[in-house]
Amino acid sequence: MRSLPTRRIAAVALTTAASVVALAGPAFAHVTVNPGSAAQGGYATVNFQVPDESDTASTVKLEVNLPLDHPLASVRTLPMPGWTSTVEKSKLDKPIKVHGSDVNEAVSKITWTADAGTKIAPGQFQEFRLSLGPLPTDADSMVFKALQTYDNGDVVRWIDEAQAGQPEPAHPAPTLKLTKAASGDGHGVTASASPAAHGDSSDHAAAGDTKSSDNTARTLGVVGIVVGVIGTAVGVLGLRRKNSGSAS
């Protein structure tokens, strides 16, 4: 007779743990920009990470829109085998000054299109790398609205902006948080102080390390929750057995 409550508690614990993992999974499937933050006023190398969420279709195009309310004077793409990138520029209503010179236009959209035989298949992901800057000094984030196109014609619009105090939207736009530049840096820029430095392998490694650390932290958080649930269930089982033993 004691085995029935034990089985019920164990089942509840396992169901709860499975639910936590299931709920945590979709957070990894969004189109995101990594690393998720950079210093105001500096240059940065970022990756747009694009997972294929379909079970039957492959991703063949990514469009990323750059905000013109905070235009960027320098935007460069990293050549990718199997993909063709096109850069669109728009005239600015008000020129911006960069290193003492007026800049009258800025990149407003970048499109990566898969060449024949190239795709992001189901269960795979791809990273599209940009170097950009100088980042604005009067904003705390930049939103890059993106469109993901599948080979069956479906288009997923990653354009929803997160609102403070509200649940995460179903299709959040990739967002780069901007932080205050470290004190002592006279130019207020990141370690990649000049556009020419963005192709340096150390910058790429730093970006990869940040992304890896972020994913690891998320994974450990989920594992911690699962372990906590199971530990609670084991504690309850032990208490029930102790009480049963005392009663007898």
Side-chain angles (χ1 to χ4, degrees):
M1 294 300 292
R2 293 180 183 176
S3 61
L4 183 58
T6 299
R7 291 176 181 175
R8 287 179 178 175
I9 294 174
V12 170
L14 291 175
T15 301
T16 303
S19 299
V20 170
V21 174
L23 290 173
F28 294 94
H30 301 332
V31 172
T32 56
V33 57
N34 296 300
S37 64
Q40 294 176 341
Y43 291 84
T45 299
V46 299
N47 299 295
F48 287 90
Q49 183 170 297
V50 182
D52 190 280
E53 295 184 305
S54 174
D55 294 330
T56 57
S58 299
T59 299
V60 292
K61 185 166 69 172
L62 173 69
E63 302 167 68
V64 174
N65 294 278
L66 283 71
L68 288 180
D69 55 343
H70 292 97
L72 299 171
S74 175
V75 178
R76 302 179 183 181
T77 60
L78 180 72
M80 292 180 56
W83 294 83
T84 300
S85 62
T86 57
V87 178
E88 297 180 26
K89 294 185 176 181
S90 297
K91 288 287 185 180
L92 299 178
D93 295 333
K94 181 180 179 181
I96 58 175
K97 280 193 174 294
V98 178
H99 304 305
S101 301
D102 287 339
V103 176
N104 298 300
E105 63 179 11
V107 175
S108 56
K109 182 180 179 181
I110 298 178
T111 302
W112 286 272
T113 305
D115 299 338
T118 301
K119 60 186 178 180
I120 307 174
Q124 297 180 346
F125 76 95
Q126 182 60 272
E127 290 184 329
F128 300 85
R129 182 169 297 177
L130 287 181
S131 68
L132 39 82
L135 300 173
T137 57
D138 58 348
D140 56 11
S141 66
M142 295 188 74
V143 177
F144 301 90
K145 296 185 178 182
L147 276 65
Q148 180 180 9
T149 301
Y150 288 86
D151 57 7
N152 63 357
D154 290 346
V155 178
V156 181
R157 300 168 62 83
W158 301 96
I159 62 173
D160 299 331
E161 297 188 38
Q163 302 296 326
Q166 299 295 322
E168 183 182 61
H171 298 93
T175 301
L176 178 67
K177 294 183 180 180
L178 302 178
T179 61
K180 296 293 184 181
S183 59
D185 188 339
H187 299 285
V189 297
T190 61
S192 301
S194 66
H198 294 166
D200 186 82
S201 60
S202 62
D203 292 334
H204 299 169
D209 290 344
T210 302
K211 178 186 67 182
S212 177
S213 298
D214 182 59
N215 289 341
T216 301
R218 291 181 182 178
T219 302
L220 290 176
V222 173
V223 172
I225 294 173
V226 173
V227 172
V229 171
I230 296 175
T232 300
V234 172
V236 171
L237 290 175
L239 182 60
R240 291 179 62 89
R241 290 176 178 175
K242 180 177 180 181
N243 291 340
S244 298
S246 299
S248 61

